[in-house]
Amino acid sequence: PGVAAETEAPPEPKATIPHSCSSDNLPYQIVELDTAFELQSWDWATGERTPYWSLAKAKHPEVSLINGCGISPKDNIAYCIVTYLYQSYIARVDKDGFAFVASTPGNSPSVVGTFGENGTFYSGGVNLWYLHDADNLTGYDKPWSALPSMQVFPKQMSETHGADTVVLEDHLVSV
């Protein structure tokens, strides 16, 4: 799936800058402004938002939405659901742009994105999806037809879910 499906050769691989996770333990959010997408930290105690980096929309007119983001515990890179020419993909995102790594099932956008401690990226639209080892995938400067797709969970816990997702991993030990 994808807008670059007519391209036989893959687009250029693209490196991504890791997020420098600080000791402040503040949450981060990508916010859509009039002219840019901006990564901001958010101090819950004061309500203050501090810009971390900004990505000009004019440099990426084919991108209409960035949502469902999470920072990988394996490589400290932000991964988001990015809508590129009306198709949805998982991309690494930094101040320099996008590195597309996978497509979403059925071209579904998502407002949900988080990582488990093992580095699996979880997201979803109507269903919940997952992508193992996102940090090991090659990222490209544009989407193309050979990108892997996120996997759909075979069974759903309920028919609906909210916009916030938390991964709960349990390490069971037999006694």
Side-chain angles (χ1 to χ4, degrees):
V3 292
E6 66 279 357
T7 304
E8 294 298 317
E12 290 295 314
K14 182 177 180 307
T16 311
I17 301 168
H19 179 73
S20 86
C21 296
S22 63
S23 60
D24 60 17
N25 291 322
L26 295 175
Y28 287 84
Q29 180 178 27
I30 292 186
V31 177
E32 183 175 2
L33 305 175
D34 288 338
T35 61
F37 295 103
E38 186 172 81
L39 180 67
Q40 301 175 350
S41 64
W42 185 19
D43 186 329
W44 289 4
T46 66
E48 183 180 337
R49 292 178 177 263
T50 304
Y52 185 74
W53 53 250
S54 183
L55 183 60
K57 288 182 177 180
K59 287 181 69 178
H60 305 279
E62 59 282 308
V63 172
S64 58
L65 180 67
I66 303 174
N67 212 334
C69 300
I71 296 176
S72 170
K74 287 192 165 186
D75 60 14
N76 290 332
I77 292 174
Y79 290 74
C80 302
I81 304 297
V82 176
T83 302
Y84 181 101
L85 295 177
Y86 310 105
Q87 302 275 335
S88 294
Y89 301 91
I90 299 149
R92 297 179 185 117
V93 181
D94 66 15
K95 67 179 184 64
D96 295 324
F98 307 94
F100 294 89
V101 298
S103 62
T104 62
N107 183 37
S108 299
S110 179
V111 296
V112 177
T114 193
F115 276 92
E117 66 183 32
N118 68 354
T120 297
F121 183 70
Y122 297 92
S123 189
V126 175
N127 294 306
L128 295 176
W129 322 315
Y130 63 94
L131 180 67
H132 293 300
D133 301 319
D135 59 307
N136 289 327
L137 296 173
T138 301
Y140 298 96
D141 63 350
K142 294 181 215 167
W144 70 301
S145 61
L147 287 175
S149 182
M150 291 188 80
Q151 301 298 305
V152 177
F153 276 102
K155 293 185 178 183
Q156 300 296 314
M157 298 293 277
S158 68
E159 292 184 23
T160 61
H161 60 277
D164 295 323
T165 301
V166 174
V167 175
L168 175 63
E169 295 173 345
D170 195 1
H171 304 282
L172 300 175
V173 178
S174 89
V175 183

Coordinates of all heavy atoms in Angstrom, one line a residue, residues 40-129:
Q40 N 6.6 19.6 22.0 CA 6.6 20.5 23.2 C 6.6 19.6 24.4 O 6.0 18.5 24.5 CB 5.3 21.3 23.3 CG 5.1 22.3 22.2 CD 3.8 23.0 22.3 OE1 2.9 22.7 23.1 NE2 3.6 24.0 21.4
S41 N 7.4 20.0 25.5 CA 7.3 19.4 26.8 C 6.1 20.1 27.5 O 5.8 21.2 27.2 CB 8.6 19.5 27.5 OG 8.9 20.8 27.8
W42 N 5.6 19.3 28.5 CA 4.4 19.9 29.2 C 4.6 19.6 30.7 O 4.6 18.5 31.1 CB 3.1 19.2 28.7 CG 1.9 19.7 29.2 CD1 1.6 20.9 29.8 CD2 0.6 19.0 29.2 NE1 0.3 21.0 30.2 CE2 -0.3 19.9 29.8 CE3 0.2 17.8 28.7 CZ2 -1.7 19.5 30.0 CZ3 -1.1 17.4 28.9 CH2 -2.1 18.3 29.5
D43 N 4.7 20.7 31.4 CA 4.9 20.7 32.9 C 3.5 20.7 33.5 O 2.8 21.7 33.5 CB 5.7 21.8 33.4 CG 6.0 21.8 34.8 OD1 5.2 21.2 35.6 OD2 7.0 22.3 35.2
W44 N 3.1 19.5 33.9 CA 1.7 19.4 34.5 C 1.5 20.3 35.7 O 0.4 20.8 35.9 CB 1.4 17.9 34.8 CG 1.3 17.0 33.7 CD1 1.4 17.3 32.3 CD2 0.9 15.7 33.7 NE1 1.2 16.3 31.5 CE2 0.9 15.2 32.4 CE3 0.6 14.8 34.7 CZ2 0.6 13.9 32.0 CZ3 0.3 13.4 34.4 CH2 0.3 13.0 33.0
A45 N 2.5 20.5 36.5 CA 2.3 21.3 37.7 C 2.0 22.7 37.4 O 1.2 23.4 38.1 CB 3.6 21.1 38.6
T46 N 2.7 23.3 36.4 CA 2.5 24.7 36.1 C 1.7 24.9 34.8 O 1.2 26.0 34.6 CB 3.9 25.3 35.8 OG1 4.4 24.8 34.6 CG2 4.9 25.1 37.0
G47 N 1.4 23.9 34.0 CA 0.7 24.0 32.8 C 1.5 24.6 31.7 O 1.1 24.8 30.6
E48 N 2.8 24.9 32.0 CA 3.7 25.5 31.0 C 4.1 24.5 29.9 O 4.5 23.3 30.2 CB 5.0 26.0 31.7 CG 5.9 26.7 30.7 CD 7.1 27.3 31.5 OE1 7.0 27.5 32.7 OE2 8.1 27.5 30.8
R49 N 4.1 24.9 28.6 CA 4.6 24.1 27.5 C 5.8 24.8 27.0 O 5.9 26.0 26.8 CB 3.5 24.0 26.4 CG 2.3 23.2 26.8 CD 1.3 23.2 25.7 NE 0.1 22.4 26.1 CZ -0.1 21.2 25.7 NH1 0.8 20.6 25.0 NH2 -1.1 20.5 26.1
T50 N 6.8 23.9 26.7 CA 8.1 24.5 26.2 C 8.4 23.8 24.9 O 8.5 22.6 24.8 CB 9.2 24.1 27.3 OG1 8.9 24.7 28.5 CG2 10.6 24.7 26.8
P51 N 8.7 24.6 23.8 CA 9.0 24.0 22.5 C 10.3 23.3 22.6 O 11.3 23.8 23.2 CB 9.1 25.2 21.6 CG 8.4 26.3 22.3 CD 8.5 26.0 23.8
Y52 N 10.4 22.1 22.0 CA 11.6 21.3 21.9 C 12.2 21.4 20.5 O 13.4 21.7 20.3 CB 11.4 19.9 22.3 CG 12.6 19.0 22.4 CD1 13.5 19.1 23.4 CD2 12.8 18.1 21.4 CE1 14.6 18.3 23.5 CE2 13.9 17.2 21.4 CZ 14.8 17.4 22.5 OH 15.9 16.6 22.5
W53 N 11.4 21.2 19.5 CA 11.8 21.5 18.1 C 10.5 21.7 17.3 O 9.4 21.4 17.7 CB 12.6 20.4 17.4 CG 12.1 18.9 17.5 CD1 12.7 17.9 18.2 CD2 11.0 18.3 16.8 NE1 12.0 16.8 18.0 CE2 11.0 17.0 17.1 CE3 10.1 18.8 15.8 CZ2 10.1 16.1 16.6 CZ3 9.2 17.9 15.3 CH2 9.2 16.6 15.7
S54 N 10.7 22.3 16.1 CA 9.6 22.6 15.2 C 9.9 22.1 13.8 O 11.0 22.2 13.4 CB 9.4 24.2 15.2 OG 8.3 24.5 14.4
L55 N 8.9 21.6 13.1 CA 9.0 21.1 11.8 C 8.0 21.9 10.9 O 6.8 21.8 11.0 CB 8.6 19.6 11.8 CG 8.8 18.8 10.5 CD1 10.2 18.8 10.0 CD2 8.3 17.4 10.8
A56 N 8.6 22.7 10.0 CA 7.8 23.6 9.1 C 6.9 22.8 8.2 O 7.4 21.9 7.5 CB 8.7 24.5 8.3
K57 N 5.6 23.1 8.2 CA 4.7 22.4 7.2 C 5.0 22.7 5.8 O 4.8 21.8 4.9 CB 3.2 22.9 7.5 CG 2.7 22.4 8.8 CD 1.2 22.9 9.0 CE 0.6 22.4 10.2 NZ -0.8 22.9 10.3
A58 N 5.6 23.9 5.5 CA 5.9 24.2 4.1 C 6.9 23.3 3.5 O 7.0 23.1 2.3 CB 6.4 25.7 4.0
K59 N 7.8 22.7 4.3 CA 8.8 21.8 3.9 C 8.2 20.4 3.6 O 8.9 19.6 2.9 CB 10.0 21.7 4.9 CG 10.9 22.9 4.9 CD 12.0 22.7 6.0 CE 13.0 21.6 5.5 NZ 14.1 21.5 6.4
H60 N 7.0 20.1 4.1 CA 6.4 18.8 4.0 C 4.9 19.0 3.7 O 4.1 18.5 4.5 CB 6.6 18.0 5.3 CG 8.0 17.9 5.6 ND1 8.9 16.9 5.1 CD2 8.8 18.6 6.5 CE1 10.1 17.1 5.6 NE2 10.1 18.1 6.5
P61 N 4.6 19.6 2.5 CA 3.1 19.9 2.3 C 2.3 18.6 2.1 O 1.1 18.6 2.2 CB 3.2 20.7 1.0 CG 4.5 20.3 0.3 CD 5.4 20.0 1.5
E62 N 2.9 17.4 1.8 CA 2.2 16.2 1.6 C 1.7 15.6 3.0 O 0.9 14.7 3.0 CB 3.0 15.2 0.8 CG 4.3 14.8 1.4 CD 5.5 15.8 1.2 OE1 5.7 16.2 0.0 OE2 6.1 16.2 2.2
V63 N 2.3 16.1 4.1 CA 1.9 15.6 5.4 C 0.8 16.5 6.0 O 0.9 17.7 6.1 CB 3.1 15.6 6.4 CG1 2.7 15.3 7.8 CG2 4.1 14.6 5.9
S64 N -0.4 15.8 6.3 CA -1.5 16.6 6.8 C -1.8 16.3 8.3 O -2.5 17.1 8.9 CB -2.8 16.2 6.0 OG -3.1 14.8 6.0
L65 N -1.2 15.2 8.8 CA -1.5 14.9 10.2 C -0.3 14.1 10.8 O 0.2 13.2 10.2 CB -2.8 14.1 10.3 CG -3.2 13.7 11.7 CD1 -3.7 14.9 12.5 CD2 -4.4 12.7 11.6
I66 N 0.0 14.5 12.0 CA 0.9 13.7 12.9 C 0.2 13.4 14.2 O -0.3 14.4 14.8 CB 2.3 14.4 13.2 CG1 3.0 14.8 11.9 CG2 3.2 13.6 14.0 CD1 4.2 15.7 12.1
N67 N 0.1 12.2 14.6 CA -0.6 11.8 15.8 C -0.2 10.5 16.3 O 0.6 9.8 15.6 CB -2.1 11.8 15.5 CG -2.9 12.3 16.8 OD1 -2.5 12.1 17.9 ND2 -4.1 12.8 16.5
G68 N -0.7 10.0 17.4 CA -0.4 8.7 17.9 C 1.1 8.5 18.1 O 1.7 7.5 17.5
C69 N 1.8 9.3 18.8 CA 3.3 9.3 18.9 C 3.7 8.6 20.2 O 3.0 8.6 21.2 CB 3.9 10.7 18.9 SG 3.5 11.6 17.4
G70 N 4.9 8.0 20.1 CA 5.6 7.4 21.3 C 7.1 7.5 21.1 O 7.5 7.4 20.0
I71 N 7.8 7.5 22.2 CA 9.3 7.5 22.1 C 9.8 6.1 22.4 O 9.4 5.5 23.5 CB 9.9 8.5 23.0 CG1 9.5 9.9 22.5 CG2 11.4 8.4 23.0 CD1 10.0 11.1 23.4
S72 N 10.5 5.5 21.5 CA 11.0 4.1 21.7 C 12.0 4.0 22.8 O 12.9 4.8 22.9 CB 11.7 3.6 20.4 OG 12.3 2.4 20.7
P73 N 11.8 3.0 23.7 CA 12.8 2.8 24.8 C 14.1 2.2 24.3 O 15.1 2.2 25.0 CB 12.1 1.8 25.7 CG 11.2 1.1 24.8 CD 10.7 2.1 23.8
K74 N 14.1 1.7 23.0 CA 15.3 1.1 22.5 C 16.2 2.1 21.8 O 17.5 2.0 21.9 CB 15.0 0.0 21.5 CG 14.4 -1.2 22.2 CD 14.4 -2.4 21.2 CE 14.2 -3.7 21.9 NZ 14.3 -4.8 21.0
D75 N 15.7 3.1 21.1 CA 16.5 4.1 20.4 C 16.2 5.6 20.7 O 16.8 6.4 20.1 CB 16.5 3.8 18.9 CG 15.1 4.0 18.3 OD1 14.2 4.5 19.0 OD2 14.9 3.6 17.2
N76 N 15.3 5.8 21.6 CA 14.9 7.2 22.0 C 14.5 8.1 20.9 O 14.7 9.3 20.9 CB 16.1 7.9 22.8 CG 16.3 7.3 24.1 OD1 15.4 6.8 24.8 ND2 17.5 7.4 24.6
I77 N 13.9 7.4 19.9 CA 13.4 8.2 18.7 C 11.8 8.2 18.8 O 11.2 7.2 19.2 CB 13.8 7.5 17.4 CG1 15.4 7.7 17.2 CG2 13.1 8.1 16.2 CD1 16.0 7.0 16.1
A78 N 11.3 9.3 18.4 CA 9.8 9.5 18.3 C 9.3 8.8 17.1 O 9.8 9.0 16.0 CB 9.4 11.0 18.3
Y79 N 8.3 7.9 17.3 CA 7.5 7.3 16.2 C 6.1 7.7 16.3 O 5.5 7.8 17.3 CB 7.6 5.7 16.4 CG 8.9 5.1 16.2 CD1 9.9 5.2 17.1 CD2 9.2 4.4 15.0 CE1 11.2 4.6 16.9 CE2 10.4 3.7 14.8 CZ 11.4 3.9 15.8 OH 12.6 3.3 15.6
C80 N 5.5 8.1 15.1 CA 4.2 8.6 15.1 C 3.4 8.0 13.9 O 4.0 7.6 12.9 CB 4.2 10.1 14.9 SG 5.1 11.0 16.1
I81 N 2.1 8.1 14.0 CA 1.3 7.8 12.8 C 1.2 9.1 12.0 O 0.8 10.2 12.5 CB -0.2 7.4 13.2 CG1 -0.1 6.2 14.2 CG2 -1.0 7.1 12.0 CD1 0.5 4.9 13.6
V82 N 1.7 9.1 10.8 CA 1.8 10.2 9.9 C 0.9 10.0 8.7 O 1.0 9.0 8.0 CB 3.2 10.5 9.4 CG1 3.3 11.6 8.5 CG2 4.1 10.7 10.7
T83 N 0.0 11.0 8.4 CA -0.8 10.9 7.2 C -0.1 11.7 6.1 O 0.2 12.9 6.2 CB -2.2 11.5 7.5 OG1 -2.8 10.8 8.5 CG2 -3.1 11.4 6.2
Y84 N 0.3 10.9 5.0 CA 1.0 11.4 3.9 C 0.2 11.2 2.7 O -0.1 10.1 2.3 CB 2.3 10.6 3.8 CG 3.3 11.0 2.7 CD1 4.4 11.8 3.0 CD2 3.1 10.6 1.4 CE1 5.3 12.2 2.0 CE2 4.0 10.9 0.4 CZ 5.1 11.7 0.7 OH 6.0 12.0 -0.3
L85 N -0.2 12.3 2.0 CA -1.1 12.2 0.8 C -2.3 11.2 1.1 O -2.5 10.3 0.3 CB -0.3 11.8 -0.4 CG 0.7 12.8 -0.9 CD1 1.5 12.3 -2.1 CD2 0.1 14.2 -1.2
Y86 N -3.0 11.4 2.2 CA -4.2 10.7 2.5 C -4.0 9.2 2.9 O -4.9 8.4 2.9 CB -5.3 10.8 1.4 CG -5.5 12.3 1.1 CD1 -5.0 12.8 -0.1 CD2 -6.1 13.2 1.9 CE1 -5.1 14.1 -0.5 CE2 -6.3 14.5 1.6 CZ -5.8 14.9 0.4 OH -5.9 16.3 0.0
Q87 N -2.7 8.8 3.1 CA -2.4 7.4 3.5 C -1.7 7.5 4.8 O -1.0 8.5 5.1 CB -1.5 6.7 2.5 CG -2.0 6.7 1.1 CD -2.9 5.4 0.9 OE1 -2.8 4.4 1.6 NE2 -3.8 5.5 -0.1
S88 N -1.9 6.5 5.7 CA -1.3 6.6 7.0 C -0.2 5.6 7.2 O -0.3 4.5 6.7 CB -2.4 6.3 8.1 OG -3.3 7.3 8.1
Y89 N 0.9 6.1 7.8 CA 2.1 5.3 8.0 C 2.7 5.5 9.4 O 2.3 6.5 10.0 CB 3.2 5.8 6.9 CG 2.8 5.6 5.5 CD1 2.1 6.7 4.9 CD2 3.0 4.4 4.8 CE1 1.7 6.5 3.5 CE2 2.6 4.3 3.5 CZ 1.9 5.3 2.9 OH 1.5 5.2 1.6
I90 N 3.6 4.6 9.7 CA 4.4 4.9 10.9 C 5.7 5.4 10.5 O 6.4 4.9 9.6 CB 4.6 3.6 11.7 CG1 3.3 3.0 12.1 CG2 5.5 3.8 12.9 CD1 3.3 1.5 12.2
A91 N 6.1 6.6 11.1 CA 7.3 7.2 10.7 C 8.1 7.7 12.0 O 7.5 8.0 13.0 CB 7.1 8.4 9.8
R92 N 9.4 7.6 11.9 CA 10.2 8.3 12.9 C 10.2 9.8 12.5 O 10.2 10.2 11.4 CB 11.7 7.8 12.7 CG 11.8 6.3 13.0 CD 13.3 5.9 12.9 NE 13.4 4.4 13.1 CZ 13.7 3.6 12.1 NH1 14.1 4.0 11.0 NH2 13.7 2.3 12.4
V93 N 10.1 10.6 13.6 CA 9.9 12.0 13.4 C 11.0 12.7 14.2 O 11.2 12.4 15.4 CB 8.5 12.4 13.8 CG1 8.3 13.9 13.6 CG2 7.4 11.6 13.1
D94 N 11.6 13.7 13.6 CA 12.5 14.6 14.3 C 12.4 16.0 13.6 O 11.6 16.2 12.8 CB 14.0 14.0 14.3 CG 14.6 14.0 12.9 OD1 14.1 14.6 11.9 OD2 15.6 13.3 12.8
K95 N 13.3 16.9 14.1 CA 13.2 18.3 13.6 C 13.6 18.4 12.1 O 13.2 19.4 11.5 CB 14.2 19.2 14.4 CG 15.7 18.8 14.2 CD 16.5 19.8 15.0 CE 18.0 19.5 14.8 NZ 18.4 19.8 13.4
D96 N 14.1 17.4 11.5 CA 14.5 17.4 10.1 C 13.5 16.7 9.2 O 13.6 16.8 8.0 CB 15.9 16.8 9.9 CG 17.0 17.5 10.6 OD1 16.9 18.8 10.6 OD2 17.9 16.9 11.1
G97 N 12.5 16.1 9.8 CA 11.5 15.4 8.9 C 11.1 14.1 9.3 O 11.0 13.8 10.5
F98 N 10.9 13.2 8.4 CA 10.3 11.9 8.6 C 11.1 10.8 8.0 O 11.8 11.0 7.0 CB 8.9 11.8 7.9 CG 8.0 13.0 8.3 CD1 7.9 14.1 7.6 CD2 7.3 12.9 9.5 CE1 7.1 15.2 7.9 CE2 6.5 14.0 9.9 CZ 6.4 15.1 9.1
A99 N 11.1 9.6 8.6 CA 11.7 8.4 8.1 C 10.6 7.3 8.2 O 10.3 6.8 9.3 CB 12.9 8.0 8.9
F100 N 9.9 7.0 7.1 CA 8.8 6.1 7.1 C 9.3 4.6 7.2 O 10.1 4.2 6.5 CB 8.0 6.3 5.8 CG 7.4 7.6 5.7 CD1 8.0 8.7 5.1 CD2 6.1 7.8 6.2 CE1 7.5 10.0 5.1 CE2 5.5 9.1 6.1 CZ 6.2 10.2 5.6
V101 N 8.7 3.9 8.2 CA 9.1 2.5 8.5 C 8.1 1.5 8.2 O 8.4 0.3 8.0 CB 9.7 2.4 9.9 CG1 10.9 3.3 10.1 CG2 8.6 2.7 10.9
A102 N 6.8 1.8 8.2 CA 5.7 0.8 8.1 C 4.4 1.5 7.7 O 4.2 2.7 7.9 CB 5.5 0.0 9.4
S103 N 3.5 0.7 7.2 CA 2.1 1.2 6.9 C 1.2 0.8 7.9 O 1.5 -0.2 8.7 CB 1.7 0.7 5.5 OG 1.6 -0.7 5.5
T104 N 0.0 1.4 8.0 CA -1.0 1.0 9.0 C -2.0 0.1 8.3 O -2.2 0.2 7.1 CB -1.8 2.2 9.5 OG1 -2.4 2.9 8.5 CG2 -0.8 3.2 10.2
P105 N -2.6 -0.9 9.0 CA -3.6 -1.8 8.4 C -4.8 -1.0 7.9 O -5.3 -0.1 8.5 CB -4.0 -2.7 9.6 CG -2.9 -2.5 10.6 CD -2.4 -1.2 10.4
G106 N -5.1 -1.3 6.6 CA -6.3 -0.6 6.0 C -6.2 0.9 5.9 O -7.2 1.5 5.8
N107 N -5.0 1.4 5.9 CA -4.8 2.9 5.8 C -5.6 3.7 6.8 O -6.1 4.7 6.6 CB -5.2 3.3 4.4 CG -5.0 4.8 4.2 OD1 -4.0 5.3 4.7 ND2 -5.9 5.5 3.5
S108 N -5.6 3.1 8.1 CA -6.3 3.8 9.1 C -5.4 4.8 9.9 O -4.3 4.4 10.3 CB -6.8 2.8 10.1 OG -7.7 1.9 9.5
P109 N -5.9 6.0 10.0 CA -5.2 7.0 10.9 C -5.4 6.6 12.4 O -6.2 5.7 12.7 CB -5.8 8.3 10.6 CG -7.2 8.0 10.1 CD -7.1 6.6 9.5
S110 N -4.6 7.1 13.3 CA -4.7 6.8 14.7 C -4.4 8.0 15.6 O -3.6 8.8 15.2 CB -3.8 5.6 15.0 OG -3.9 5.3 16.4
V111 N -5.0 8.0 16.7 CA -4.7 9.0 17.7 C -3.9 8.4 18.9 O -3.6 9.0 19.9 CB -6.0 9.7 18.3 CG1 -6.7 10.5 17.2 CG2 -6.9 8.7 18.9
V112 N -3.7 7.1 18.8 CA -3.0 6.3 19.8 C -1.7 5.9 19.4 O -1.5 5.4 18.3 CB -3.9 5.0 20.1 CG1 -3.2 4.2 21.1 CG2 -5.3 5.4 20.5
G113 N -0.7 6.0 20.3 CA 0.7 5.5 20.0 C 1.5 5.4 21.2 O 1.6 6.3 22.0
T114 N 2.0 4.2 21.5 CA 2.8 4.0 22.7 C 3.8 2.8 22.5 O 3.6 2.0 21.6 CB 2.0 3.8 23.9 OG1 2.8 3.9 25.1 CG2 1.3 2.5 23.9
F115 N 4.8 2.7 23.3 CA 5.7 1.6 23.3 C 5.6 0.8 24.5 O 5.4 1.3 25.6 CB 7.1 2.1 23.1 CG 7.6 2.4 21.7 CD1 7.4 3.7 21.2 CD2 8.1 1.5 20.9 CE1 7.8 4.0 19.9 CE2 8.5 1.8 19.6 CZ 8.3 3.0 19.1
G116 N 5.8 -0.5 24.4 CA 6.1 -1.4 25.5 C 7.6 -1.4 25.8 O 8.4 -0.9 25.0
E117 N 7.9 -1.9 27.0 CA 9.3 -1.8 27.4 C 10.2 -2.6 26.5 O 11.4 -2.4 26.4 CB 9.5 -2.2 28.9 CG 9.2 -3.6 29.2 CD 9.3 -3.9 30.7 OE1 9.0 -3.1 31.5 OE2 9.7 -5.1 31.0
N118 N 9.7 -3.6 25.7 CA 10.5 -4.4 24.8 C 10.7 -3.8 23.5 O 11.3 -4.3 22.6 CB 9.8 -5.8 24.7 CG 8.5 -5.8 23.9 OD1 8.0 -4.7 23.6 ND2 7.9 -6.9 23.6
G119 N 10.1 -2.6 23.3 CA 10.3 -1.9 22.0 C 9.2 -2.1 21.0 O 9.4 -1.6 19.8
T120 N 8.2 -2.8 21.3 CA 7.0 -3.0 20.4 C 6.2 -1.7 20.4 O 5.8 -1.2 21.5 CB 6.2 -4.2 20.8 OG1 7.0 -5.4 20.7 CG2 5.0 -4.3 19.9
F121 N 5.9 -1.2 19.2 CA 5.0 0.0 19.1 C 3.6 -0.5 18.9 O 3.3 -1.3 18.1 CB 5.4 0.8 17.8 CG 4.7 2.1 17.6 CD1 4.9 3.2 18.5 CD2 3.8 2.2 16.6 CE1 4.2 4.3 18.3 CE2 3.1 3.4 16.4 CZ 3.3 4.5 17.2
Y122 N 2.7 0.1 19.7 CA 1.3 -0.2 19.7 C 0.5 1.1 19.2 O 0.8 2.2 19.6 CB 0.8 -0.6 21.1 CG 1.4 -1.8 21.6 CD1 2.6 -1.7 22.4 CD2 0.9 -3.1 21.4 CE1 3.2 -2.8 22.9 CE2 1.5 -4.2 21.9 CZ 2.7 -4.1 22.6 OH 3.3 -5.2 23.1
S123 N -0.5 0.8 18.4 CA -1.4 1.9 17.9 C -2.7 1.3 17.6 O -3.0 0.2 17.9 CB -0.7 2.6 16.7 OG -1.4 3.7 16.3
G124 N -3.6 2.1 16.9 CA -4.8 1.6 16.5 C -5.8 2.6 16.0 O -5.7 3.8 16.2
G125 N -6.8 2.1 15.3 CA -7.9 2.8 14.8 C -9.1 2.1 15.3 O -9.4 2.1 16.5
V126 N -9.8 1.4 14.5 CA -11.0 0.6 14.9 C -10.4 -0.6 15.7 O -11.0 -1.0 16.7 CB -11.8 0.1 13.7 CG1 -12.9 -0.8 14.1 CG2 -12.4 1.3 12.9
N127 N -9.3 -1.2 15.2 CA -8.7 -2.3 15.9 C -7.3 -1.8 16.5 O -6.9 -0.7 16.2 CB -8.4 -3.4 15.0 CG -9.7 -4.1 14.4 OD1 -10.5 -4.5 15.2 ND2 -9.8 -4.1 13.1
L128 N -6.8 -2.6 17.4 CA -5.4 -2.3 17.9 C -4.4 -3.0 17.1 O -4.6 -4.2 16.6 CB -5.3 -2.8 19.4 CG -6.3 -2.1 20.4 CD1 -6.2 -2.7 21.7 CD2 -6.0 -0.6 20.4
W129 N -3.2 -2.4 16.9 CA -2.2 -2.9 16.0 C -0.9 -2.9 16.8 O -0.7 -2.2 17.8 CB -1.9 -2.0 14.8 CG -3.1 -1.4 14.2 CD1 -4.3 -2.0 13.9 CD2 -3.3 -0.1 13.7 NE1 -5.1 -1.2 13.2 CE2 -4.5 0.0 13.1 CE3 -2.4 1.0 13.7 CZ2 -5.0 1.2 12.6 CZ3 -2.9 2.2 13.2 CH2 -4.2 2.3 12.6

